[in-house]
């Protein structure tokens, strides 16, 4: 059997795809059960966070395993296999081990070095253990990944290479300024009471916000978090809990909003955000200052009646999109793109910008060629702005740490709003400098992958060695019994001496070959030594398998809850 991982993350897929592929806890459990029920897999674990969805399995066939795991991910995420496939990555055997160890150390995180992933890996292992889908391989793998991650954080300065996602997000809200100076005296609304929301609330409390209001669908959890914040020894923040239906009113009072829930739909729509800003500023959120309007007039969209025969569904286009530009064609398939390119080339657009319909047509044609290769154009990350105009100072700061997103992305376009979400965090961290500590962590990961592989190969031969020694013990016992029958006059002391002599002879004969075979099996390519040992000593395969099953049972019994 061999380790296989199939998944997608912020490095391989746009946020829009990750949002749609997000798995709720119930769906993760069903995915695990269906995976171990499939023919190629005997063990399974799923690592699902806001930035990644990965399915780990112990499989007996690589190609069949990739096909089965990919199909199961598509089925349970609700994203079609053809659409999902271009964003999937596959790691096998040592590369799969290397990948998980890198993830555990924070090397593959959106913010390099963040430590929250360790808790998520621990939760993934616990879920697989509860559902009995994790056997010896995945238990060993995930437990070792946790140890490797802890080692990286304790032996290196990887924490200096990046911050937690919460801290990094707050820094983006503060536009690179010091968080305490930005947060001092502000009122915060935290939506959700899970681990990420709790971390955000605690970070804001330490930063010096004046008040934190916690809203959650389960009011008792909101109350508990508010009480912890208010009674904290290192903060003096005022904290209180409110039910979710009180969010609209609290939104008008808040300066900072952090949202991280498990909701599948939007928690805050753009309209709700606009109303909150209007309540705070006394003017509509979309209003641009008159001097800005004069300096840079808005670019009009297509004139009325100019959309004849346009293959784009204009009713679905959000305000601010140019129906002849790149943003308008996000998500179209190749055939529709080609039709749209032909339409755009013959359309007269009254726009105050340098791009022409012909240029738009060339762009759309290029996108069509891309779509013909990969299937579809990924959705554009942000709506195309109507015009490059100065924005007023933010009246409301929004941090969306949920996946799928809690806050409507259209809030990006509202004047007086600064929205930071998972997508913008990915963009901001893409060019972050890599500390020298990262190289040190990579060396730790490489060493640990080698050690894990050696340990697994050595463990693979252990049942065979145990079976060999069991067979030898049975032979000794049989010969001693036969000797007892042939020499009934021997006293107990003599019989004991004979038994010890025979056992010593067998142990000495087996010691060197069993020690050496374990050493050889731990080396790359050493898996065949177990087969050789079974063949040379004519060991019963079922006896070896029984030893393996007994070992698995002992592991589960001894494993901490």
């Amino acid at each position: 059997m061999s380790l296989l991982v199939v998944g997608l993350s912020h490095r391989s897929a746009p946020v829009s795809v990750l949002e749609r592929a997000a798995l709720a806890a119930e769906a993760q459990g069903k995915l695990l059960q269906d995976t171990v029920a499939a023919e190629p897999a005997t063990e399974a674990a799923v690592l699902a966070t806001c930035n990644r969805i990965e399915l780990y399995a112990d499989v007996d066939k690589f190609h069949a395993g990739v096909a089965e795991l990919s199909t199961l991910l598509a089925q349970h995420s609700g994203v079609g296999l053809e659409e999902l496939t271009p964003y999937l990555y596959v790691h096998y055997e040592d590369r799969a081990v290397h990948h998980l160890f890198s993830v555990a150390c924070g090397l593959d995180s959106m913010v390099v070095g963040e430590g929250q992933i360790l808790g998520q890996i621990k939760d993934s292992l616990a879920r697989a253990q509860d559902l009995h889908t994790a056997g010896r391989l995945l238990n060993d793998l995930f437990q070792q990944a946790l140890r490797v991650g802890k080692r990286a954080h304790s032996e290196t300065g990887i924490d200096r290479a990046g911050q937690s996602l919460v801290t990094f997000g707050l820094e983006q809200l503060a536009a690179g300024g010091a968080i305490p100076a930005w947060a001092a005296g502000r009122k915060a609304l935290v939506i959700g009471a899970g681990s990420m929301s709790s971390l955000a609330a605690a970070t804001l409390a330490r930063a010096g916000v004046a008040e934190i209001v916690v809203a959650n669908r389960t009011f008792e959890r909101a109350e508990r978090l508010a009480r912890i914040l208010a009674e904290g020894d290192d903060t003096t923040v005022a904290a209180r809990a409110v039910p979710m239906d009180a969010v609209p009113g609290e939104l008008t009072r808040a300066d900072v909003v952090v949202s991280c829930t498990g909701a599948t739909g939007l928690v805050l729509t753009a309209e709700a955000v606009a109303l909150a800003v209007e309540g705070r500023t006394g003017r509509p959120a979309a209003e641009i200052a008159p001097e800005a309007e004069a300096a840079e007039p808005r670019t009009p969209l297509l004139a009325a009646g100019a959309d004849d025969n346009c293959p784009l569904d204009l009713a679905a286009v959000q305000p601010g999109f140019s129906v002849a530009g790149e943003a308008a064609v996000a998500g179209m398939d190749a055939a529709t793109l080609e039709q749209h390119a032909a339409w755009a080339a013959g359309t007269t657009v009254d726009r105050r910008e340098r791009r022409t319909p012909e240029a738009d047509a060339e762009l759309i044609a290029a996108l069509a060629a891309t779509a013909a290769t990969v299937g579809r154009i990924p959705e554009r990350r942000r709506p195309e702005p109507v015009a490059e105009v100065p924005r007023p100072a933010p009246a409301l700061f929004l941090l969306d740490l949920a996946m799928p997103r809690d806050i409507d992305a259209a809030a990006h376009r509202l004047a007086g709003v600064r929205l930071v979400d998972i997508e913008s965090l990915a963009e901001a961290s893409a060019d972050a400098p890599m500390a020298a500590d990262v190289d040190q962590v990579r060396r730790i990961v490489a060493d640990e992958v080698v050690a894990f592989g050696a340990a697994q190969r050595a463990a693979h031969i252990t049942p065979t060695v145990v079976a060999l020694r069991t067979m030898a013990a049975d032979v000794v016992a049989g010969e001693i019994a036969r000797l007892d029958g042939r020499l009934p006059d021997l006293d107990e002391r003599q019989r004991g001496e004979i038994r010890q002599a025979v056992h010593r002879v067998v142990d000495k004969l087996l010691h060197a070959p069993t020690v050496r075979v374990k050493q050889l099996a731990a080396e790359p390519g050493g898996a065949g030594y177990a087969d050789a040992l079974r063949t040379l000593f004519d060991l019963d395969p079922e006896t070896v398998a029984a030893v393996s099953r007994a070992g698995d049972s002992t592991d589960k019994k001894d494993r901490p809850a």
Side-chain angles (χ1 to χ4, degrees):
M1 303 299 284
S2 300
L3 178 66
L4 174 68
V5 56
V6 177
L8 67 161
S9 73
H10 64 99
R11 296 186 183 276
S12 69
V15 171
S16 56
V17 174
L18 283 172
E19 281 185 321
R20 294 166 54 206
L23 296 172
E26 183 178 348
Q28 292 176 38
K30 189 67 167 64
L31 173 59
L32 288 175
Q33 292 170 334
D34 287 354
T35 301
V36 294
E39 182 178 349
T42 58
E43 301 180 33
V46 60
L47 178 57
T49 73
C50 57
N51 297 323
R52 70 182 67 251
I53 302 138
E54 296 176 343
L55 180 56
Y56 292 78
D58 188 8
V59 300
D60 58 1
K61 298 175 184 177
F62 172 73
H63 293 292
V66 172
E68 187 66 32
L69 265 60
S70 301
T71 300
L72 287 169
L73 275 175
Q75 288 177 352
H76 288 273
S77 68
V79 180
L81 182 60
E82 291 185 358
E83 185 178 359
L84 192 64
T85 297
Y87 305 113
L88 294 178
Y89 46 77
V90 174
H91 298 297
Y92 191 53
E93 295 188 329
D94 284 352
R95 290 302 306 170
V97 176
H98 188 281
H99 175 73
L100 181 59
F101 287 3
S102 297
V103 169
C105 293
L107 292 179
D108 198 59
S109 296
M110 185 178 295
V111 180
V112 174
E114 62 94 9
Q116 189 182 17
I117 186 65
L118 287 174
Q120 294 163 332
I121 291 174
K122 184 178 180 180
D123 291 342
S124 296
L125 175 58
R127 183 181 303 108
Q129 289 174 342
D130 290 343
L131 295 173
H132 306 291
T133 64
R136 170 172 287 176
L137 175 60
L138 291 186
N139 271 293
D140 289 349
L141 175 69
F142 274 67
Q143 288 173 356
Q144 186 63 24
L146 292 171
R147 287 190 286 268
V148 173
K150 292 175 183 177
R151 179 187 169 193
H153 284 280
S154 64
E155 295 183 13
T156 76
I158 187 67
D159 294 328
R160 296 193 300 267
Q163 308 97 333
S164 72
L165 202 60
V166 170
T167 304
F168 191 60
L170 293 176
E171 284 189 349
Q172 297 304 304
L173 285 182
I179 295 177
W182 165 80
R186 295 187 186 274
K187 297 178 180 179
L189 169 62
V190 175
I191 305 176
S195 58
M196 185 73 83
S197 299
S198 299
L199 178 60
T203 303
L204 286 168
R206 288 192 298 270
V209 294
E211 180 188 39
I212 297 179
V213 177
V214 182
N216 193 60
R217 295 189 187 283
T218 304
F219 184 67
E220 290 74 14
R221 295 189 66 186
E223 280 188 315
R224 183 166 60 249
L225 177 54
R227 185 168 57 253
I228 292 172
L229 294 170
E231 296 174 355
D233 295 334
D234 56 346
T235 64
T236 57
V237 68
R240 57 187 175 89
V242 298
M244 284 295 289
D245 57 12
V247 165
E250 296 295 338
L251 198 60
T252 304
R253 298 179 64 254
D255 302 300
V256 183
V257 179
V258 179
S259 187
C260 186
T261 72
T264 56
L266 292 176
V267 175
L268 294 180
T269 63
E271 291 76 12
V273 174
L275 287 173
V277 173
E278 184 174 354
R280 294 176 59 85
T281 63
R283 65 175 185 272
E287 182 178 336
I288 304 296
E291 58 273 15
E293 287 277 10
E296 191 80 33
R298 295 190 184 188
T299 304
L301 300 177
L302 282 176
D307 58 345
D308 294 341
N309 301 317
C310 173
L312 178 67
D313 180 10
L314 295 180
V317 177
Q318 295 178 345
F321 280 77
S322 164
V323 293
E326 179 184 1
V329 298
M332 281 189 180
D333 57 33
T336 307
L337 276 167
E338 290 175 355
Q339 297 173 13
H340 190 58
W343 172 83
T347 302
T348 300
V349 183
D350 180 16
R351 294 180 299 167
R352 301 184 185 182
E353 55 185 52
R354 295 181 179 179
R355 282 172 58 180
T356 63
E358 289 77 14
D360 278 333
E362 291 178 4
L363 172 62
I364 295 170
L367 290 172
T370 302
T373 303
V374 302
R376 291 182 74 83
I377 294 294
E379 294 178 22
R380 187 176 174 85
R381 288 187 169 185
R382 291 202 189 102
E384 196 173 77
V386 176
E388 294 295 331
V389 296
R391 297 175 65 95
L396 184 60
F397 297 85
L398 306 174
L399 178 56
D400 185 357
L401 298 173
M403 183 65 69
R405 72 181 77 226
D406 279 347
I407 303 175
D408 192 343
H412 274 295
R413 299 194 306 270
L414 296 174
V417 172
R418 179 176 295 163
L419 170 61
V420 172
D421 54 19
I422 293 295
E423 194 163 40
S424 55
L425 285 175
E427 293 175 351
S429 64
D431 299 322
M434 303 294 285
D437 297 288
V438 172
D439 291 332
Q440 186 178 352
V441 172
R442 286 175 176 156
R443 288 192 292 271
I444 289 175
V445 168
D447 292 343
E448 290 284 357
V449 170
V450 172
F452 182 81
Q456 288 297 305
R457 288 188 293 270
H460 178 69
I461 203 169
T462 297
T464 303
V465 172
V466 172
L468 173 61
R469 288 190 172 275
T470 301
M471 182 192 73
D474 291 342
V475 170
V476 169
E479 290 301 315
I480 293 296
R482 190 173 67 85
L483 185 64
D484 286 344
R486 296 182 61 182
L487 301 173
D489 297 332
L490 293 176
D491 60 32
E492 190 59 36
R493 186 184 65 80
Q494 291 171 327
R495 294 179 191 279
E497 288 290 342
I498 292 173
R499 280 196 297 271
Q500 288 183 11
V502 175
H503 278 296
R504 282 196 297 269
V505 169
V506 172
D507 287 343
K508 288 182 177 180
L509 286 174
L510 291 181
H511 176 72
T514 53
V515 169
R516 184 60 180 148
V517 79
K518 287 181 178 180
Q519 294 171 341
L520 293 171
E523 298 175 358
Y529 286 101
D531 295 333
L533 204 62
R534 287 193 294 269
T535 301
L536 288 172
F537 288 91
D538 194 25
L539 297 176
D540 181 10
E542 180 55 35
T543 301
V544 177
V547 174
S548 297
R549 289 193 294 270
D552 286 342
S553 175
T554 301
D555 284 349
K556 291 177 182 177
K557 182 173 61 178
D558 295 340
R559 191 172 302 128

